[in-house]
Amino acid sequence: MYRVYGAAKGCQKILGGSVKMRVINKGIPKIDGIDIATGKAVYTDDLSSNNALVIKILRSPHAFARIKSINTERAQEVPGVECILTYKDVPGVRFTLAGQSYPEPSPYDRLILDEYVRYVGDEVAIIAAVDEKTALKALKLVEVEYEVFEPVLDFEEAEGHPSIVHPEDDIHLNMDIGMNREKNIASSYKLEIGDVDSELAESDIIVEKTYYTQAQAHAMMETYRAFSYLDHNGRLTIVSSTQIPFHVRGIVARALQIPQSKVRVIKPRIGGGFGGKQTASVEIFPALVTLKTGKPAKIIYDRKETFSSTTSRHAMRITVKLGADKEGNIKAIDMQALSDTGAYGEHAPTVFSVAGHKTLPLYNKAQAVRYMGNVVYTNKMPAGALRGYGVTQGTFALESAINELAAELNMDPVVIREKNIIKEGETNPILEGSKDGNPAALESCALESCIKKGKELIRWHEKYPRKVISDTKVRGVGMAITMQGSGIGGIDTASAVIKLNNDGFYTLLLGSTDMGTGSDTILAQIAAEVLDTTMDRIIVHAADTDISPYDTGSYASSTAYVTGNAVIKAAEDMRKKIVGSGAKLLGLSEKDVEFDGEFIKNINGKQKLSLNELAQRLISGEGKNQLIGMGTFGGETSPPPFVAGFAEVEVDKETGKIDLINYVAVVDCGTVINPNLARIQAEGGLVQGIGLAMYEDVQYSERGKMNSNTFMQYKIPCRKDIGKITVSFESSYEPTGPFGAKSIGEVVINTPAPAIANAVYNAVGVNVRKLPITPEKVLKGIMELISE
Amino acid sequence: MLTIKDYVLPKTLEEAYSILNLNKNNAILGGCAFLRLGSKQIETAIDLSDLALKYINEKDNQIEIGAMTTLREIETSPVLQKNFSGILPESVKNIGGVQLRNIVTVGGTVYSRYGFSDLNTALLSLDTDVVLHRKGRISLEEFLEKGAQKDILEKIIIRKTKCQASFKMMRNSAADYAILNVAVSKNDNDWKIAVGARPQRAKIAKEAGKYLAGSKKTNEEIEEAAVIATKELAFGSNTRGSKAYRESICKVLVKRAIMEVI
Amino acid sequence: MKIKVIINNQNMELDVAYDEFLADTLRRYGFLSVKKGCDTGSCGLCTVWVDDKPVLSCATLSVRINGKKITTIEGVQKEAKEFAEYLVNEGAEQCGFCSPGFIMTVLAMKRELQNPTVEEITHYLTGNLCRCTGYMGQLRAVKKYLGVV
């Protein structure tokens, strides 16, 4: 039986002791699984009205231009066109589309429609018509005259480029993010612990290399979409496939200059997000049309718009300089980075800083570390949040450099990690929750055993560094480690509400957004565990800003940890209330009764009251007291989950073709709340990481038009591309986590790129430092080695 | 966006042909998988579905494949699996998924002369003719070079020989288009080396074929033939690969295909 | 143009434009299980059966299915649920958006291939992209469903 210890922390005592979990750590099927798998109409477009106006966007053909004139007269005349909006019709208040807690670090640098267009695909006009054909017909009739400018396309040449991407002087910043607008610098950042230069000067060995990570597309299967209407009170209601309903409410209200109380956002089932839907790319358009026309409106981005007019991962260049002694003890790490945020600054400062913050603590033996650089504006599609959020980029650079250092020292890459990695109980001043002079402690970490287990699973000792298969084929193994966070310490908060209904079942109200991850299910598991009940007695509702309790949203690996803790608090609150009101009805004192999930009873069990009866009597005239449990949580820290990743590749020495044979990932996400769902999260993240490593590349033409705007040109891995993937868990116990859990959503994407790069190096001696690792790059490297 | 103003299902090829030539914006429908990617504005779309052009017929000395035959039918055809070392099924099996191959037609693929086509490269390495309604029967080689004006491809005919053949391609992701594809066939000592996705459409490396026929097929000579093939054909760059990379792997794939055939 | 079709064993008369594709027609007539993911025939989300063969409904002109038999997942709910149980037990439906098309391909494969090997299964299903699961869980589900060791 679950015992209340007064706080979420109490749960560890149970797990640490002999009490067995009934629902936690069980591979329970997702509560919505069968319905979504068999095609029930539960996604945004399935729910939209047939009468909604259809919206199409006229987009800029130029990478950088000013609209000299725009004439919508002919387009307006097309029968069935309801409204056409240009930059003259929208509020002049800048905002960001980034879904972040207020005050957002992302610059307020965009308007709904602007006189300036800053990338090919930027919005020029909004066309709403009775159907798609009519909207498209009208779109072609809008006449625009542009003054075309020289675009800034190469992010390495953006700083000080003669063209200024944001010439306007009304950009609003909520805080100092180091912007230097006239130099195209959206944000700059520096972190230094210790004296890096002098530690480097004293190091025996220095390795310095520059790495490039490309822009990556989220490529969720359900493209961006939303519809809106005015409800019976004239309030704007938006149904959107979003990860951030509460932030969408705020963003739309600011952009349209209406009070948040006039906006309601509903999130139905979501067909994947991966951080893309943490940016409010589409909601404003139907909202604006509905406000202007009073009519329902919907927008569905096609795949091309999804690729070329939303956001992608920030492309980065990171130069890593490592100093070590001859035994492989790392003394100093210096990371100099440059990030490409594209035309607008969504998530620009935070993705950038996180790339250092969530990589450097791995090697806490270093005496001095530094992470610094700039985020620049360019005339390309804006970058944004994407699973991994900078850590993926930082991990590729740092882990690749560590592997190159190991090679320089003629040392096994596993051994160099064993010497240098952070361990449970140790501190590091970069970990979230650190205060000046008081570095935060790592309370849970099984990284060492993850590495050990991974080594065994891939059979490292047999395979490292390479095995010759034939005259033309050779296999190599490689590895990398990573960490992430669990929510944003001191910022992310979530609330949960539990209602006891009149038949003795519960409703769990959440503001988090299950985008396929299974978070609704694992949060119900947490509630069921605390309430000593079964999954079928818990109904989950999420998310509707009018009904759901506040939640920052599902991003930053926060839902299991942050919302999970809120659910524990709400469920414990509910337990207390059940015991209290049960005791009252039984005429006993609270301390003399217990609740076993079904009955409230006295200690000998002779006097008892079923939960059903309690619930019935409480909502009746007799009780007049429906029970509502409530909990809010926000973490001071952001406990990192860890992964050790191991790749085995086969390289064709004559063509450079790489076949991924095996990938092993051993994950420490603390207590695994649902092993089946956690495994899928891990496998899915690994394959997305494999895509980044080997196949995916957002590419632009010389004039800045995106070439990779279909699934024909932008290749996400198919099921033949991934070899065999093995996922294993080495659980630590996170004392601040729900039942000891940490996050898993993002950390799993980070290791494939550096581990595969390392495996290729171990196979054929070629270091590919610019992602993706394509056959062409590998063959070029092989040729160069031969000619040396 | 593809638009179609009118749609017909003719009962004879003659009827289809005359409708096709009534208006320059009239067009024959193949599988439509690629057609719909463009923004073609078709006046009258002509569907050949009622013309019984969906067949793979094995005759004494040739195999005939109707224009409306799907790639999936090629992939699973026992006749094609046992002839020509099975390179036709082999060449189509990586094109999209089963759902796509159940739509895409041989007629659409061959008539459109796509540069990336795997099937056209494989067919070119065999003794293949195309039968056009107006122009009649011509070799695939000539057709790929010159194309046709407002004609209808009725079927392709592949002469049955005792040939050995091999198909090789290089893809990065298995579901991507080929960066390069190569098909080699040997009929007695008559060698045909076809290379496609250069990224231009498939062509025969004639010099290399001649050289190989006159050689003893030692490893060195095979490599030399591959080098000759690479030299005599033109290569280009696109997002999938550079000219230099295509040249490098052309040598390798041609060599490997020859080795497999010997 | 009016066309006569049998959708999920029911005779229906549909009114379709010449340039309308089947995925759009089916959604318009309320078969909302049919999803579209790519517009280029690359993702397999829109897979339905035409005369029992899996095809991309986004690339099939509706006028061309006149007189044919169409099956969507709404028409094979019992069988779909049987397989969905395996899928959901692995957690491998994830966001679920690609699941209907995936399941239609799996059920077609079951009819078409006799005792398929893992390689044959992977080949048959390659046209169905999934961004969430990494495919491994789907494969586990298919293997259990078909009894492949």
Side-chain angles (χ1 to χ4, degrees):
Chain A
M1 195 196 303
Y2 185 86
R3 286 172 210 282
V4 183
Y5 287 86
K9 272 213 161 184
C11 308
Q12 65 176 298
K13 296 178 189 162
I14 294 172
L15 197 85
S18 59
V19 179
K20 208 156 160 47
M21 298 284 119
R22 293 172 309 100
V23 196
I24 298 294
N25 199 231
K26 298 283 183 295
I28 288 168
K30 271 173 58 186
I31 52 181
D32 53 351
I34 291 289
D35 285 333
I36 60 174
T38 55
K40 296 293 175 296
V42 290
Y43 298 88
T44 301
D45 188 38
D46 303 340
L47 306 172
S48 69
S49 155
N50 287 335
N51 302 321
L53 297 172
V54 174
I55 297 172
K56 290 284 158 190
I57 307 281
L58 176 67
R59 298 186 178 282
S60 168
H62 304 294
F64 194 21
R66 192 181 64 83
I67 298 170
K68 278 161 78 176
S69 70
I70 182 160
N71 183 349
T72 61
E73 272 171 35
R74 281 178 65 213
Q76 295 273 15
E77 282 166 13
V78 175
V81 169
E82 194 71 27
C83 77
I84 298 179
L85 305 169
T86 72
Y87 72 92
K88 295 168 189 163
D89 306 308
V90 301
V93 177
R94 292 189 187 270
F95 57 93
T96 178
L97 292 175
Q100 298 180 300
S101 296
Y102 181 82
E104 303 98 318
S106 298
Y108 290 1
D109 59 5
R110 65 159 82 224
L111 298 169
I112 300 173
L113 298 169
D114 201 337
E115 190 183 353
Y116 285 88
V117 283
R118 296 183 177 81
Y119 72 99
V120 177
D122 206 351
E123 292 87 12
V124 172
I126 301 166
I127 293 112
V130 290
D131 59 27
E132 188 177 2
K133 263 192 180 167
T134 308
L136 287 171
K137 192 173 172 191
L139 185 146
K140 287 192 187 121
L141 297 173
V142 177
E143 293 155 7
V144 192
E145 210 186 329
Y146 295 96
E147 179 186 0
V148 179
F149 307 121
E150 181 63 29
V152 183
L153 296 174
D154 182 346
F155 79 120
E156 295 186 89
E157 289 173 10
E159 186 182 340
H161 193 284
S163 293
I164 299 170
V165 178
H166 282 273
E168 72 276 14
D169 55 12
D170 60 343
I171 287 183
H172 174 79
L173 301 174
N174 287 321
M175 58 193 75
D176 180 14
I177 57 169
M179 178 181 280
N180 187 343
R181 183 181 56 78
E182 286 173 346
K183 284 195 152 180
N184 288 323
I185 295 172
S187 175
S188 61
Y189 180 77
K190 181 177 177 182
L191 163 82
E192 185 165 2
I193 311 278
D195 186 343
V196 169
D197 293 325
S198 68
E199 287 294 336
L200 284 171
E202 286 167 23
S203 296
D204 298 334
I205 311 249
I206 301 277
V207 164
E208 182 178 2
K209 300 288 174 197
T210 299
Y211 302 91
Y212 290 84
T213 59
Q214 77 279 39
Q216 182 182 27
H218 307 84
M220 71 296 278
M221 285 297 138
E222 183 197 32
T223 58
Y224 296 84
R225 53 197 59 200
F227 68 91
S228 57
Y229 56 89
L230 295 178
D231 72 4
H232 54 281
N233 292 319
R235 288 171 74 235
L236 178 66
T237 303
I238 302 168
V239 180
S240 173
S241 177
T242 180
Q243 296 172 230
I244 44 159
F246 286 95
H247 292 332
V248 167
R249 184 174 68 182
I251 291 166
V252 167
R254 179 177 167 91
L256 300 179
Q257 293 290 292
I258 55 175
Q260 288 206 32
S261 62
K262 292 288 182 197
V263 185
R264 174 186 184 187
V265 179
I266 298 170
K267 175 228 67 123
R269 294 292 95 191
I270 312 175
F274 311 112
K277 294 172 185 173
Q278 191 197 339
T279 301
S281 290
V282 296
E283 291 84 350
I284 289 169
F285 304 123
L288 179 61
V289 168
T290 292
L291 280 191
K292 294 263 182 192
T293 63
K295 294 183 179 178
K298 78 168 170 180
I299 190 160
I300 297 183
Y301 269 12
D302 61 21
R303 183 54 66 181
K304 208 181 250 181
E305 288 174 300
T306 294
F307 269 120
S308 59
S309 297
T310 58
T311 58
S312 68
R313 185 187 292 287
H314 289 80
M316 289 178 76
R317 178 193 74 197
I318 304 178
T319 300
V320 184
K321 197 167 180 183
L322 297 175
D325 66 17
K326 286 178 186 131
E327 284 73 48
N329 296 301
I330 296 166
K331 298 295 179 193
I333 305 174
D334 186 16
M335 295 170 79
Q336 306 273 341
L338 181 71
S339 171
D340 183 356
T341 194
Y344 301 96
E346 270 82 25
H347 303 275
T350 38
V351 163
F352 188 81
S353 59
V354 160
H357 277 247
K358 292 189 176 159
T359 49
L360 289 170
L362 285 170
Y363 300 101
N364 69 330
K365 311 290 180 287
Q367 302 295 311
V369 296
R370 181 164 58 201
Y371 174 79
M372 61 181 285
N374 294 330
V375 188
V376 290
Y377 282 121
T378 59
N379 292 112
K380 288 182 290 185
M381 184 176 81
L386 201 168
R387 196 180 204 170
Y389 204 82
V391 188
T392 314
Q393 292 94 315
T395 301
F396 174 66
L398 180 56
E399 286 301 286
S400 292
I402 300 276
N403 286 329
E404 295 207 48
L405 173 65
E408 190 81 18
L409 291 161
N410 210 8
M411 186 178 270
D412 185 326
V414 170
V415 175
I416 200 165
R417 263 88 184 184
E418 286 167 351
K419 275 177 188 277
N420 290 287
I421 55 169
I422 192 166
K423 304 208 167 72
E424 190 167 288
E426 294 178 357
T427 61
N428 184 272
I430 307 174
L431 286 173
E432 271 181 48
S434 295
K435 306 258 169 359
D436 274 346
N438 187 17
L442 186 62
E443 302 216 38
S444 63
C445 175
L447 181 56
E448 226 179 340
S449 40
C450 290
I451 295 173
K452 188 160 170 273
K453 181 77 169 289
K455 246 179 95 173
E456 285 162 19
L457 286 170
I458 199 135
R459 301 208 310 267
W460 184 265
H461 60 287
E462 289 170 35
K463 294 175 177 172
Y464 174 78
R466 77 185 66 81
K467 268 192 161 9
V468 174
I469 302 296
S470 70
D471 286 353
T472 56
K473 300 222 165 141
V474 57
R475 287 187 181 187
V477 287
M479 63 95 60
I481 57 171
T482 188
M483 59 179 273
Q484 195 88 27
S486 300
I488 309 170
I491 292 178
D492 279 351
T493 62
S495 297
V497 170
I498 300 179
K499 261 194 325 181
L500 175 63
N501 299 301
N502 56 346
D503 197 29
F505 68 98
Y506 304 96
T507 306
L508 171 60
L509 299 163
L510 301 168
S512 59
T513 50
D514 186 337
M515 68 203 95
T517 56
S519 63
D520 284 354
T521 303
I522 66 126
L523 293 169
Q525 280 179 262
I526 290 171
E529 189 70 50
V530 175
L531 292 166
D532 267 315
T533 190
T534 47
M535 292 290 285
D536 60 314
R537 308 291 285 173
I538 298 189
I539 310 304
V540 178
H541 179 278
D544 176 339
T545 55
D546 274 5
I547 296 164
S548 309
Y550 183 80
D551 194 302
T552 39
S554 290
Y555 59 85
S557 291
S558 61
T559 305
Y561 181 77
V562 180
T563 314
N565 270 325
V567 170
I568 288 191
K569 288 187 166 187
E572 289 187 338
D573 187 32
M574 173 58 77
R575 272 194 83 98
K576 272 192 196 160
K577 286 177 172 157
I578 290 170
V579 168
S581 37
K584 201 170 159 195
L585 288 179
L586 288 167
L588 295 166
S589 133
E590 263 186 49
K591 65 176 176 0
D592 294 332
V593 300
E594 59 180 23
F595 173 53
D596 66 3
E598 268 189 79
F599 293 96
I600 302 98
K601 55 194 179 189
N602 68 346
I603 307 301
N604 64 18
K606 289 208 171 136
Q607 279 179 280
K608 63 178 184 181
L609 181 65
S610 76
L611 182 65
N612 296 9
E613 193 188 337
L614 174 78
Q616 291 288 357
R617 286 169 66 181
L618 284 175
I619 55 105
S620 74
E622 179 197 358
K624 291 192 274 291
N625 181 26
Q626 176 167 31
L627 300 190
I628 305 231
M630 159 73 198
T632 298
F633 178 84
E636 288 309 310
T637 62
S638 176
F642 297 92
V643 174
F646 293 79
E648 181 181 11
V649 300
E650 183 172 289
V651 183
D652 184 325
K653 291 191 290 180
E654 293 184 322
T655 63
K657 172 82 176 123
I658 314 151
D659 284 320
L660 183 61
I661 307 296
N662 274 302
Y663 202 90
V664 168
V666 187
V667 183
D668 165 21
C669 58
T671 300
V672 183
I673 294 175
N674 186 321
N676 286 9
L677 300 182
R679 180 173 304 279
I680 297 288
Q681 279 286 81
E683 290 168 347
L686 291 169
V687 168
Q688 217 166 13
I690 290 166
L692 181 83
M694 299 171 65
Y695 307 111
E696 300 178 28
D697 199 0
V698 173
Q699 294 179 325
Y700 291 86
S701 74
E702 280 174 16
R703 298 307 299 160
K705 183 183 170 296
M706 191 184 288
N707 287 329
S708 53
N709 60 5
T710 67
F711 277 130
M712 291 194 298
Q713 306 300 337
Y714 185 91
K715 299 313 288 186
I716 65 168
C718 72
R719 65 190 75 226
K720 283 181 181 172
D721 292 331
I722 54 173
K724 184 184 169 213
I725 292 172
T726 307
V727 170
S728 179
F729 295 95
E730 285 290 306
S731 295
S732 62
Y733 186 89
E734 173 52 43
T736 66
F739 297 99
K742 298 186 281 190
S743 81
I744 189 163
E746 292 183 277
V747 72
V748 288
I749 199 173
N750 299 332
T751 61
I756 290 169
N758 186 220
V760 169
Y761 170 76
N762 284 331
V764 292
V766 173
N767 277 305
V768 178
R769 301 188 184 95
K770 192 171 189 174
L771 295 177
I773 307 162
T774 59
E776 178 161 359
K777 291 177 193 167
V778 174
L779 186 66
K780 190 159 174 269
I782 292 172
M783 301 287 210
E784 280 163 12
L785 283 180
I786 292 169
S787 66
E788 271 166 23
Chain B
M1 206 166 89
L2 171 74
T3 60
I4 298 174
K5 279 207 186 132
D6 199 4
Y7 165 86
V8 290
L9 262 171
K11 297 295 170 206
T12 64
L13 265 171
E14 193 52 53
E15 187 191 347
Y17 180 77
S18 64
I19 297 169
L20 177 65
N21 283 282
L22 280 178
N23 184 310
K24 72 174 170 35
N25 293 323
N26 290 358
I28 303 284
L29 299 177
C32 290
F34 292 103
L35 184 71
R36 80 186 185 102
L37 301 181
S39 48
K40 212 166 170 164
Q41 300 190 316
I42 296 176
E43 189 63 33
T44 300
I46 304 158
D47 188 345
L48 308 180
S49 295
D50 279 2
L51 301 181
L53 294 176
K54 207 174 169 68
Y55 55 80
I56 299 171
N57 290 335
E58 183 172 23
K59 307 210 164 151
D60 287 346
N61 48 13
Q62 63 191 39
I63 291 171
E64 299 185 2
I65 305 175
M68 294 301 281
T69 308
T70 66
L71 297 194
R72 180 69 179 160
E73 284 158 346
I74 297 217
E75 183 186 1
T76 54
S77 156
V79 168
L80 296 178
Q81 275 161 359
K82 71 169 199 257
N83 280 286
F84 321 117
S85 310
I87 65 163
L88 296 180
E90 180 66 25
S91 73
V92 298
K93 74 175 192 193
N94 289 302
I95 300 167
V98 168
Q99 317 69 339
L100 181 79
R101 296 197 294 281
N102 271 332
I103 294 174
V104 175
T105 60
V106 169
T109 302
V110 174
Y111 193 86
S112 307
R113 305 186 297 148
Y114 297 117
F116 54 77
S117 170
D118 295 306
L119 176 63
N120 289 354
T121 302
L123 285 170
L124 187 61
S125 77
L126 305 174
D127 199 342
T128 306
D129 289 342
V130 301
V131 177
L132 298 162
H133 178 71
R134 183 179 62 91
K135 204 170 181 189
R137 180 169 173 169
I138 59 167
S139 74
L140 175 67
E141 190 183 356
E142 185 188 340
F143 176 76
L144 286 182
E145 217 160 280
K146 297 180 185 158
Q149 285 295 312
K150 284 276 167 196
D151 209 334
I152 300 175
L153 191 144
E154 184 189 338
K155 62 181 169 186
I156 57 174
I157 299 172
I158 314 166
R159 187 167 308 141
K160 267 166 76 176
T161 58
K162 287 174 292 180
C163 85
Q164 296 287 308
S166 168
F167 177 81
K168 298 279 173 202
M169 54 80 192
M170 174 68 185
R171 281 171 154 79
N172 189 13
S173 168
D176 201 353
Y177 292 101
I179 303 172
L180 194 82
N181 52 38
V182 168
V184 170
S185 77
K186 180 192 75 160
N187 182 24
D188 289 328
N189 194 29
D190 184 14
W191 289 79
K192 262 193 182 175
I193 300 167
V195 184
R198 297 173 293 113
Q200 302 91 332
R201 63 178 73 97
K203 252 190 140 163
I204 294 174
K206 291 198 172 138
E207 296 302 320
K210 265 186 238 161
Y211 171 84
L212 199 57
S215 79
K216 293 190 186 110
K217 285 95 181 164
T218 62
N219 284 349
E220 290 72 28
E221 285 166 324
I222 290 171
E223 283 192 22
E224 180 60 21
V227 170
I228 295 170
T230 308
K231 275 191 187 145
E232 72 181 287
L233 297 173
F235 296 83
S237 299
N238 64 3
T239 54
R240 287 185 172 73
S242 69
K243 178 175 186 287
Y245 181 65
R246 285 195 164 89
E247 286 169 353
S248 302
I249 59 171
C250 180
K251 288 174 207 152
V252 180
L253 298 188
V254 169
K255 176 186 77 180
R256 289 180 185 177
I258 296 171
M259 298 278 229
E260 212 170 87
V261 168
I262 276 174
Chain C
M1 174 178 165
K2 290 239 183 344
I3 57 170
K4 284 186 176 166
V5 291
I6 301 168
I7 303 182
N8 300 334
N9 290 322
Q10 286 216 310
N11 287 305
M12 287 183 77
E13 196 178 274
L14 312 180
D15 198 0
V16 300
Y18 292 131
D19 47 16
E20 185 174 351
F21 284 89
L22 181 55
D24 299 317
T25 307
L26 288 171
R27 282 194 67 86
R28 197 158 55 77
Y29 279 90
F31 299 94
L32 297 176
S33 73
V34 181
K35 306 295 190 229
K36 294 203 297 179
C38 72
D39 318 314
T40 51
S42 317
C43 76
L45 263 65
C46 66
T47 304
V48 303
W49 301 346
V50 173
D51 289 344
D52 297 325
K53 279 198 183 120
V55 302
L56 296 170
S57 62
C58 75
T60 301
L61 279 175
S62 299
V63 286
R64 297 178 102 174
I65 57 153
N66 196 6
K68 292 191 170 151
K69 183 180 145 193
I70 315 300
T71 311
T72 70
I73 201 167
E74 283 94 342
V76 284
Q77 278 289 295
K78 188 169 167 283
E79 206 181 338
K81 271 198 181 123
E82 271 171 37
F83 173 65
E85 295 278 351
Y86 286 90
L87 195 66
V88 172
N89 281 336
E90 296 293 335
E93 78 286 8
Q94 274 263 19
C95 85
F97 205 71
C98 73
S99 297
F102 175 68
I103 292 179
M104 290 308 283
T105 314
V106 169
L107 299 184
M109 175 177 72
K110 193 184 175 204
R111 283 161 169 72
E112 195 174 331
L113 305 184
Q114 306 295 319
N115 304 317
T117 61
V118 169
E119 207 181 4
E120 285 165 340
I121 291 170
T122 301
H123 179 67
Y124 200 98
L125 300 176
T126 291
N128 289 88
L129 293 180
C130 168
R131 188 58 155 173
C132 293
T133 66
Y135 305 115
M136 303 301 290
Q138 292 185 342
L139 182 61
R140 287 193 293 274
V142 171
K143 281 164 75 177
K144 285 177 188 168
Y145 173 63
L146 297 177
V148 178
V149 188

